[in-house]
Amino acid sequence: MLEHCTLCPRQCGANRTAGQTGFCGADDKLRIGLASLHHWEEPCLSGTRGAGTIFFCHCSLGCIYCQNHNISGQSASECGILTDSSGLADTFLSLQARGAHNIDLVTPTHYAAHLIEAIPLARTRGLTIPIIYNCGGYERVETLRMLDGLIDIYLPDLKYYSSYYSERYSHAADYFDVVCAAVNEMVRQVGAPQFNADGMMTHGVIIRHLMLPGLNGDTTQVLRAIASHWGSEQVLVSLMRQFTPCTDLSDFPELARRVTDEEYTAACDQMTRLGLAGWTQDAESVSESFIPHFDGTGVAGACSAEPDIT
Ligand code: SF4
């Protein structure tokens, strides 16, 4: 898979085993920026003890406003902690031992080949908690099918309806159509949302939509599309307002502000009118303190026999 990589819709064909990198910036080495308990995911994912979040380096989408740009940028070839599939499996187990309700894989697309090894390995070593695939939504159906049976919860973004915006901000004019096909496959694999007795999600799909300043019309189209394609029987919606300008947006001055209360309230009202179930965010969540520090904490190193977390 990595000798001619087509894991994501970019289908670069990079020979990652020879050290080549494609759009995502990843070679065949597994790099992780942080593995930690995270308390700011949706309540049915964070619970009381936190989601076991693993932030992967690099990204196949490359949004110009990314709040995780320190580890996602294409030039970040030296970022994070280097590990392998076995080390990743140990990292899962470390998070489980610390009380994580689940394993929350953030931006995992370009590491799908590693996940196909690491998840079964972790299960044989005693991993019992659900696995979340937390992604930008820009996924190939063929790659998702390789993960069928390994993922319990899909957490894709649906960032844009308009191809103008998806090209301008994420270099992906085909974004909306690609995400729709991907979410169809995700729903096929994991079915309608299910919860355990404690209210924690065990299976299902949550679609996240991060509002961008001034793109109210696009948000309207996204919410309508979710209602008409899947509805609340098949997916839940997380409507997010935490956009914070934290990259150089001098070429995109329209994004150099936060979403206003009026913009967000209008979108929440529309979500209600469309009968979509899910979550909205408090104004307090609009804080840079929610952006983690990617110092490699919590990652079990390559070939380590034991997790390095105590
Ligand atoms: S995962 Fe990376 S190398 Fe593979 S096709 Fe996508 S951008 Fe190219």
Side-chain angles (χ1 to χ4, degrees):
M1 280 182 269
L2 301 183
E3 285 181 2
H4 182 81
C5 184
T6 57
L7 286 173
C8 87
R10 309 274 182 202
Q11 299 191 61
C12 294
N15 184 352
R16 293 169 56 179
T17 63
Q20 287 182 0
T21 55
F23 182 94
C24 66
D27 58 17
D28 61 341
K29 307 293 187 304
L30 185 53
R31 293 180 183 277
I32 299 175
L34 178 68
S36 68
L37 296 175
H38 192 45
H39 296 277
W40 296 281
E41 303 289 37
E42 286 72 8
C44 66
L45 304 179
S46 283
T48 54
R49 303 190 302 271
T53 306
I54 296 175
F55 292 90
F56 292 105
C57 297
H58 310 294
C59 179
S60 56
L61 196 51
C63 306
I64 52 96
Y65 50 81
C66 180
Q67 70 173 17
N68 297 344
H69 60 95
N70 288 336
I71 60 168
S72 65
Q74 291 96 314
S75 61
S77 60
E78 298 303 320
C79 84
I81 298 293
L82 195 65
T83 187
D84 60 9
S85 298
S86 180
L88 180 58
D90 284 343
T91 303
F92 295 167
L93 292 166
S94 297
L95 289 165
Q96 178 173 264
R98 293 172 63 191
H101 290 284
N102 43 56
I103 299 299
D104 181 11
L105 307 170
V106 182
T107 319
T109 312
H110 48 290
Y111 288 130
H114 300 79
L115 294 174
I116 290 166
E117 290 182 342
I119 295 172
L121 201 52
R123 293 294 187 204
T124 64
R125 293 177 184 174
L127 186 77
T128 58
I129 54 181
I131 302 274
I132 304 171
Y133 193 88
N134 179 347
C135 65
Y138 195 58
E139 302 288 327
R140 283 192 77 201
V141 169
E142 292 82 352
T143 301
L144 293 174
R145 286 191 180 137
M146 295 192 293
L147 296 163
D148 192 359
L150 301 179
I151 305 299
D152 303 289
I153 297 166
Y154 280 103
L155 187 57
D157 293 332
L158 211 175
K159 298 172 183 290
Y160 320 98
Y161 179 83
S162 154
S163 58
Y164 171 79
Y165 291 129
S166 63
E167 174 63 25
R168 178 166 172 77
Y169 300 138
S170 298
H171 324 287
D174 58 350
Y175 177 85
F176 179 79
D177 289 339
V178 168
V179 178
C180 285
V183 173
N184 284 339
E185 172 62 17
M186 294 171 184
V187 170
R188 185 196 71 75
Q189 286 185 23
V190 298
Q194 296 176 40
F195 301 86
N196 65 18
D198 297 326
M200 300 302 297
M201 196 169 196
T202 57
H203 290 88
V205 178
I206 300 174
I207 297 178
R208 282 177 166 172
H209 176 67
L210 173 66
M211 287 191 71
L212 295 176
L215 269 65
N216 314 41
D218 204 63
T219 289
T220 296
Q221 298 289 0
V222 165
L223 293 175
R224 283 181 183 160
I226 294 172
S228 65
H229 281 71
W230 304 288
S232 57
E233 297 79 22
Q234 297 195 79
V235 301
L236 298 170
V237 176
S238 183
L239 184 61
M240 308 174 80
R241 63 172 301 171
Q242 70 196 48
F243 173 78
T244 305
C246 58
T247 57
D248 177 9
L249 294 172
S250 51
D251 291 335
F252 307 92
E254 72 275 19
L255 294 184
R257 68 170 174 87
R258 291 176 171 170
V259 171
T260 66
D261 289 345
E262 291 72 24
E263 288 171 327
Y264 191 64
T265 301
C268 292
D269 291 345
Q270 194 203 13
M271 189 173 146
T272 302
R273 284 196 300 276
L274 289 167
L276 294 171
W279 299 268
T280 55
Q281 269 184 326
D282 297 333
E284 294 76 49
S285 62
V286 184
S287 165
E288 289 188 43
S289 64
F290 282 73
I291 300 173
H293 296 291
F294 300 109
D295 58 3
T297 300
V299 181
C303 305
S304 65
E306 297 293 334
D308 63 357
I309 300 169
T310 56

